[in-house]
Amino acid sequence: MDWQARYQVGDTPWDKGCVTPVLTELIGKNPFFFGESKRFFVPGCGFGYDALAIAETGSSVIGMDIAESAVKQAQRLESAERELSFVSGDIFELAENLYGRFDFVWEHTCFCALDPSLRSRYVEQMWKVLKQGGAVVGVFFINPDVAAGEGPPYGASREEIRALFASHFVLEWESEPKCCYEGREGREHVMLFRRLTDCREIDC
Ligand SMILES: C[S@@+](CC[C@H](N)C(=O)[O-])C[C@H]1O[C@@H](n2cnc3c(N)ncnc32)[C@H](O)[C@@H]1O
């Protein structure tokens, strides 16, 4: 998928123009995840609405996207008043200075955008950027309207997602969001995976 080309021609049906209601709900219900001492990484951040909402809690946030056009627009949200920055980059080619740096990864429609063959590598990369005790928290797209094997977005069941993360994370909690973008009712699942200190599949 040429993401940059999609942004250049404005073919971005995933972009809803605002923060996902799931994140707003999460911030309201779990304010202790957020705040001044917390550092977040937002992979596949798109235009940056979620990253902005997290930064507005006082957290420090870096959003990354492979599409330069998306990052350029997101960078308009940067301001001296908040610790928010956007970088263009590929999450599979992360600079080592990002390793072990974050308390949380906020996942929202990056995982489902990736070819399923890349999912294990996604899990490894998120493990690498997190500090000890850090966590991936996010909303996973469970049942997109596409035939099996077609995408993006690529579907994944709760069981598949749990199994994928199990090599590097332990599932701490999961829930069904009460709010979501119109049209995604019943198709999103919130999960928090806590980083394992010793992973089973990579040299740590
Ligand atoms: C479905 S869009 C979702 C964007 C944003 N999260 C949103 O909800 O509006 C998936 C995003 O992931 C980005 N992306 C895909 N592969 C990536 C990679 N390997 N590294 C960084 N970003 C990637 C795309 O450019 C795109 O912006």
Side-chain angles (χ1 to χ4, degrees):
M1 165 70 69
D2 186 342
W3 294 99
Q4 168 64 3
R6 297 282 300 263
Y7 279 101
Q8 274 177 323
V9 297
D11 181 16
T12 56
W14 56 84
D15 175 43
K16 305 297 180 198
C18 61
V19 58
T20 171
V22 183
L23 177 58
T24 307
E25 182 182 324
L26 190 79
I27 292 171
K29 286 189 176 165
N30 303 279
F32 42 89
F33 287 163
F34 304 89
E36 278 176 20
S37 59
K38 301 297 185 336
R39 303 184 77 146
F40 277 77
F41 180 65
V42 182
C45 62
F47 290 139
Y49 314 113
D50 287 1
L52 173 64
I54 297 169
E56 284 179 337
T57 69
S59 307
S60 152
V61 187
I62 295 180
M64 176 179 282
D65 203 288
I66 201 164
E68 277 181 28
S69 297
V71 171
K72 268 197 186 141
Q73 177 154 335
Q75 282 171 338
R76 296 188 195 147
L77 302 172
E78 294 176 357
S79 107
E81 287 147 38
R82 44 184 98 98
E83 282 201 62
L84 173 63
S85 59
F86 294 96
V87 291
S88 49
D90 183 342
I91 57 164
F92 298 111
E93 292 176 15
L94 293 172
E96 286 197 16
N97 66 5
L98 292 176
Y99 289 2
R101 198 163 150 190
F102 299 94
D103 300 288
F104 288 101
V105 167
W106 169 248
E107 161 56 44
H108 171 218
T109 53
C110 182
F111 179 86
C112 71
L114 301 172
D115 186 278
S117 65
L118 294 171
R119 286 175 175 170
S120 302
R121 281 183 61 208
Y122 169 93
V123 170
E124 285 176 17
Q125 294 299 86
M126 297 308 112
W127 186 92
K128 285 181 188 167
V129 298
L130 287 167
K131 296 176 185 171
Q132 295 239 15
V136 174
V137 60
V139 51
F140 290 86
F141 209 24
I142 295 301
N143 182 27
D145 285 335
V146 287
E150 278 180 23
Y154 297 97
S157 68
R158 293 167 181 77
E159 294 71 28
E160 281 172 315
I161 298 167
R162 287 185 202 116
L164 266 161
F165 275 84
S167 57
H168 293 67
F169 292 86
V170 62
L171 178 63
E172 200 163 287
W173 59 258
E174 56 188 325
S175 69
E176 305 305 324
K178 299 258 178 306
C179 319
C180 63
Y181 291 131
E182 204 180 324
R184 290 197 190 161
E185 294 83 1
R187 307 194 305 162
E188 294 182 320
H189 193 57
V190 182
M191 298 170 117
L192 186 145
F193 292 99
R194 185 71 60 187
R195 182 190 192 277
L196 290 170
T197 303
D198 297 308
C199 53
R200 294 167 203 154
E201 285 188 358
I202 60 174
D203 181 17
C204 44

